[in-house]
Amino acid sequence: MSKRENNANNIFRPSDSPLTEHEKEQIALRKNLERLKAERLAREAANSKKD
C-alpha cells in the first residue's frame, strides 16, 4: 500500500484518545434522533394499520 493510501485509511480508523465533551454530546444527540425517528415510524405504521 502506498503512503497516500495508508494515510487515507488512517483517517477513518477510530482513535484511542478519549472523547471530548462535544463528541459525547453529538453521539447522545444522534442516538436520541434515531430513537425519535424509530418511534415516529412505529406510530405511523400503527396508524396505517388502523385505516
Side-chain angles (χ1 to χ4, degrees), residues 9-27:
N9 286 337
N10 285 337
I11 291 173
F12 298 105
R13 187 171 294 151
S15 72
D16 294 332
S17 62
L19 296 176
T20 64
E21 287 300 316
H22 177 71
E23 290 170 325
K24 290 177 186 177
E25 290 171 4
Q26 291 296 311
I27 291 170

Side-chain angles (χ1 to χ4, degrees), residues 2-45:
S2 71
K3 184 175 180 179
R4 183 176 175 196
E5 290 172 327
N6 193 24
N7 288 339
N9 286 337
N10 285 337
I11 291 173
F12 298 105
R13 187 171 294 151
S15 72
D16 294 332
S17 62
L19 296 176
T20 64
E21 287 300 316
H22 177 71
E23 290 170 325
K24 290 177 186 177
E25 290 171 4
Q26 291 296 311
I27 291 170
L29 179 64
R30 176 64 55 198
K31 286 181 181 179
N32 192 33
L33 289 173
E34 290 175 4
R35 180 185 59 82
L36 291 172
K37 180 179 178 182
E39 290 177 4
R40 178 180 52 83
L41 292 173
R43 275 194 312 272
E44 289 175 356

